[in-house]
Amino acid sequence: MRFELKGIAISHGVSLGKVALLDRTKAIVERTKVDPSTVQSEKERFLGAVQKSKEHLHSIIDRFDPMEKGEHLQILNFNIMMLEDDLFCEEVIRTIESEKVNAEWAITYVLSLKTEEFRFVEDIYMKERLADIYHLGETILRNLRGLKDDIADLEDDSVLVAHDISPVDVVSFSKHRAIGLATDVGAATSHSAIIARSLGIPTVMGLEDISLKVSPGDSIFVDGYNGVVIVNFTEKEVTEFIERRKNYDSLGKKLKRYAKLPGKTQDEVAIKVNANIEIADEIDLALSYGAEGIGMYRTEFLFTRSEYFPTEREQFEDYKNVISVFKSPNITIRTLDIGGDKFPPGMEPPKELNPALGLRGIRFSLMDANIFRTQIRAILKASCFGKMRILIPMVSSLFEVIDTKKIIQEVSGEIDCSPSWEIGVMIETPSAAILTSEIAEEVDFLSIGTNDLIQYTLAVDRVNEHVSYLFSHFHPAVLRLLKNITEVATRKGVPVSVCGEMAGQLSCVPLLVGMGVDELSMNTHSIPMVKKLLNSITKAESEEILGNALKLKTTADTKKYVINAIIDKWGKALPLECVQEILTDQAT
Ligand code: PEP
Ligand code: MG
């Protein structure tokens, strides 16, 4: 049966192939007492498995070009180094000898001691080493049990699906010419993710339970750009996917040229083109796609990726990394927007009837002062390395803005260095839109979250496919509301950004330019084309299109008019790929 899952886009590109299910489920390791006379043979079994694991790792390295360098080889060498580390082997051997136990249990026991040691380590790098040690332990256990390496048998068009995957498996996997990766858990800063990117394997993680839903041999499409995986698609879709793969390949080259363009219209009106990111690792990509700043860092993914909330130090390192690498005055960190459908494992509150209307975003943060203050402290500490724009999600009342400002002010007094920040509010609820004037008086900038603003304005659940036909950026009520927000903000002299999906939709860009928005923030891959479009249009003509569009009464008429007007005015000046993209909006 066909189904589609949305996860986190880890490594871009698309792949079309067959599911190879990697079963790394941990078998239960039992503690078995061994006879003193067999202690020696247990030790030998263990050392034999270590040796086999080393040979396995060397054989993977040998498949690479000797001149090749990169993170993936460093990880392999790190694993070999650990196998050669006498301390680990000695500890396991000592356990076999003193406890008179089987080798499997001794390994598991030593690893559990290591986990305990690492539990309170704050350093993210060291924490990730723990994952490496674990994966290594699994490799030794596999060799100890004489299990075959299932990755070695992959077909050429295999897309690997797994609950989790070790860095070594990713490297090994790529060398077997497998073409895509999809996993249940989404540790975006894990080495597995870093390596998938370094090796250019289209990857989606955080798919929750894909490994339970697929069977080996199922046809699978991995869209590493949008974080989407489609399984058992139709014949018709195959043609479409092959076409998309071809297009992606050639488009990539062209887009790089547009990425360098400045964010401004042909009549010299500056409009910043920023990136939305979900994980700090996306920064390099955002830079290479021409992002002029980070318009919204959705920090909730930092909180939902593991079983514990990130410490202040972990958050500080992460935010500081963003500001240090990006070096822009436009780095916008959105505070936690958990709630609704986003909760870290184990933190789920009792089910709410209407989660989208429930304890979400700033409501959750103001309810849990500890978590919120920790995040604010981490952001402010990072802001000592460069100005941070703090963005507050899901505001629906003025008191939420005032209370948040008070908390930021208080926390800033606890910081040793000199923090430098601006505060902004997401306009994404109808009440915030109506209160734009009052909110604008309290803040340095506004950012319109069209995804939620449309959901709440049109009463259309944004994740419910049954009503998605009603969700439209061209709905007259939406356009009029957006016009009001931008008009009021401009009158108040407060800059406005749009950071919902609308900002990256080419056919909507002239409408937003006509409204006078100062910034557009979007998924990284939309940036080059939006820049190209901006450079081809004028603000004056965009205002004219907007004026006419606002007179229309239905979504269908508005969309048709806007798309035709864009093509009439600028179709000849725009490259074919932009025109095609604008025309495809007609069908949505
Ligand atoms: C929005 O609602 O438009 C937005 C940008 O926030 P998110 O998509 O994260 O809810
Ligand atoms: Mg939102």
Side-chain angles (χ1 to χ4, degrees):
M1 204 180 58
R2 181 196 186 282
F3 64 92
E4 189 171 326
L5 296 170
K6 175 94 177 85
I8 302 173
I10 295 285
S11 176
H12 296 107
V14 295
S15 55
L16 184 62
K18 293 265 183 283
V19 168
L21 202 53
L22 181 68
D23 186 7
R24 292 281 196 254
T25 23
K26 292 178 189 60
I28 294 167
V29 174
E30 292 198 5
R31 186 178 197 274
T32 315
K33 273 276 179 199
V34 295
D35 193 84
S37 63
T38 50
V39 164
Q40 185 58 26
S41 66
E42 274 315 288
K43 288 194 302 194
E44 280 164 14
R45 270 183 70 228
F46 165 66
L47 290 172
V50 169
Q51 185 56 30
K52 267 205 193 118
S53 305
K54 262 193 276 190
E55 283 164 15
H56 172 62
L57 291 168
H58 277 296
S59 76
I60 299 172
I61 290 183
D62 289 346
R63 283 183 232 138
F64 285 93
D65 184 326
M67 301 306 286
E68 194 163 326
K69 290 195 177 65
E71 192 109 28
H72 48 294
L73 289 177
Q74 280 173 27
I75 301 260
L76 289 173
N77 284 319
F78 174 78
N79 277 270
I80 293 175
M81 220 173 70
M82 283 205 312
L83 286 172
E84 281 167 356
D85 172 13
D86 289 343
L87 282 180
F88 172 69
C89 292
E90 276 168 16
E91 230 174 308
V92 175
I93 287 180
R94 230 184 358 260
T95 309
I96 297 174
E97 281 171 345
S98 60
E99 306 271 323
K100 311 252 172 326
V101 285
N102 53 330
E104 285 88 345
W105 190 83
I107 294 169
T108 315
Y109 173 70
V110 170
L111 285 177
S112 70
L113 292 182
K114 296 254 172 276
T115 316
E116 267 316 297
E117 281 170 25
F118 275 79
R119 191 173 294 282
F120 301 103
V121 172
E122 290 227 326
D123 189 304
I124 297 176
Y125 181 81
M126 290 308 284
K127 273 200 199 300
E128 282 172 356
R129 298 285 67 73
L130 177 64
D132 288 347
I133 295 173
Y134 243 100
H135 288 305
L136 190 62
E138 281 171 22
T139 308
I140 305 172
L141 281 175
R142 243 185 352 260
N143 281 316
L144 204 52
R145 295 190 186 113
L147 293 178
K148 213 158 64 67
D149 180 25
D150 31 11
I151 282 186
D153 300 328
L154 294 178
E155 302 288 331
D156 282 0
D157 65 344
S158 295
V159 169
L160 199 67
V161 177
H163 175 68
D164 190 7
I165 188 161
S166 76
V168 173
D169 279 344
V170 180
V171 182
S172 173
F173 167 61
S174 77
K175 281 287 118 182
H176 287 90
R177 283 171 295 161
I179 51 168
L181 186 55
T183 61
D184 294 346
V185 292
T189 57
S190 70
H191 275 115
S192 304
I194 293 169
I195 290 171
R197 275 192 291 275
S198 143
L199 294 172
I201 306 168
T203 300
V204 179
M205 289 182 172
L207 290 156
E208 309 221 330
D209 54 359
I210 185 165
S211 69
L212 299 176
K213 287 185 168 154
V214 294
S215 306
D218 281 352
S219 48
I220 181 167
F221 178 68
V222 175
D223 178 349
Y225 286 90
N226 298 307
V228 171
V229 170
I230 303 173
V231 180
N232 290 332
F233 34 80
T234 62
E235 271 304 310
K236 202 168 138 243
E237 283 176 307
V238 177
T239 329
E240 184 195 317
F241 292 159
I242 291 175
E243 195 56 28
R244 270 173 74 183
R245 192 173 52 190
K246 239 175 35 211
N247 289 345
Y248 273 136
D249 291 347
S250 54
L251 196 62
K253 292 190 192 93
K254 269 194 195 154
L255 291 185
K256 288 279 168 197
R257 294 207 300 269
Y258 309 149
K260 296 190 181 78
L261 291 169
K264 64 175 170 71
T265 61
Q266 204 191 55
D267 50 348
E268 303 289 327
V269 177
I271 295 172
K272 275 206 182 58
V273 183
N274 295 333
N276 292 341
I277 60 168
E278 283 74 37
I279 50 169
D281 282 6
E282 286 177 83
I283 300 172
D284 287 339
L285 203 78
L287 280 168
S288 75
Y289 273 73
E292 296 173 307
I294 300 297
M296 174 178 61
Y297 175 10
R298 291 180 162 103
T299 58
E300 50 275 12
F301 288 98
L302 191 60
F303 285 69
T304 52
R305 71 180 182 190
S306 68
E307 277 158 21
Y308 66 98
F309 270 3
T311 61
E312 181 187 315
R313 184 162 184 88
E314 280 171 341
Q315 289 187 62
F316 161 72
E317 294 289 352
D318 189 88
Y319 307 148
K320 185 180 141 209
N321 177 35
V322 176
I323 190 93
S324 316
V325 176
F326 214 95
K327 294 191 183 70
S328 155
N330 286 307
I331 301 296
T332 318
I333 311 276
R334 186 174 76 178
T335 62
L336 255 188
D337 188 16
I338 55 173
D341 58 347
K342 289 180 280 188
F343 270 98
M347 282 287 299
E348 297 87 350
K351 280 254 171 293
E352 293 176 298
L353 209 50
N354 289 307
L357 305 179
L359 202 57
R360 199 194 141 176
I362 194 61
R363 302 171 181 182
F364 176 89
S365 294
L366 289 176
M367 202 71 98
D368 200 319
N370 249 347
I371 294 172
F372 194 40
R373 279 173 183 266
T374 303
Q375 180 170 39
I376 295 293
R377 207 173 303 114
I379 298 174
L380 291 181
K381 281 188 177 171
S383 81
C384 297
F385 295 83
K387 189 191 79 190
M388 288 288 192
R389 304 199 303 179
I390 305 172
L391 181 59
I392 313 299
M394 254 319 260
V395 164
S396 56
S397 297
L398 196 62
F399 83 86
E400 291 162 329
V401 184
I402 292 166
D403 287 3
T404 300
K405 280 175 68 180
K406 208 166 129 226
I407 290 174
I408 297 178
Q409 204 55 50
E410 279 168 16
V411 174
S412 74
E414 302 163 8
I415 312 276
D416 290 338
C417 53
S418 310
S420 148
W421 78 94
E422 286 184 352
I423 180 162
V425 159
M426 298 272 301
I427 302 293
E428 56 181 347
T429 61
S431 57
I434 293 164
L435 291 176
T436 300
S437 174
E438 288 76 3
I439 293 173
E441 282 169 12
E442 297 291 335
V443 299
D444 302 300
F445 67 99
L446 296 173
S447 193
I448 308 178
T450 49
N451 308 337
D452 277 317
L453 187 59
I454 295 175
Q455 146 163 281
Y456 297 126
T457 303
L458 302 184
V460 174
D461 184 346
R462 64 192 260 196
V463 296
N464 182 340
E465 72 275 18
H466 302 299
V467 287
S468 62
Y469 70 99
L470 291 168
F471 190 105
S472 174
H473 296 137
F474 293 100
H475 193 293
V478 169
L479 292 185
R480 288 176 208 180
L481 187 59
L482 292 177
K483 175 77 167 56
N484 284 346
I485 299 167
T486 47
E487 225 167 52
V488 174
T490 310
R491 209 168 51 233
K492 290 278 177 185
V494 175
V496 192
S497 164
V498 175
C499 64
E501 290 304 298
M502 187 175 183
Q505 190 173 332
L506 288 191
S507 54
C508 295
V509 168
L511 294 174
L512 300 175
V513 170
M515 288 178 200
V517 303
D518 303 280
E519 296 176 23
L520 296 169
S521 191
M522 62 202 70
N523 83 71
T524 297
H525 290 275
S526 302
I527 293 174
M529 274 217 244
V530 167
K531 279 186 155 184
K532 180 68 189 159
L533 177 72
L534 277 178
N535 279 257
S536 316
I537 67 177
T538 63
K539 169 116 189 254
E541 288 168 294
S542 298
E543 280 169 353
E544 183 193 318
I545 295 179
L546 174 70
N548 292 334
L550 284 169
K551 290 182 199 137
L552 298 169
K553 293 178 189 160
T554 67
T555 304
D557 286 350
T558 311
K559 182 157 68 173
K560 192 164 161 218
Y561 162 73
V562 173
I563 290 176
N564 286 340
I566 296 173
I567 301 295
D568 278 355
K569 275 197 195 302
W570 303 298
K572 289 207 179 70
L574 285 169
L576 188 63
E577 55 275 11
C578 287
V579 173
Q580 272 170 348
E581 176 129 344
I582 291 165
L583 289 174
T584 53
D585 285 346
Q586 187 69 267
T588 59

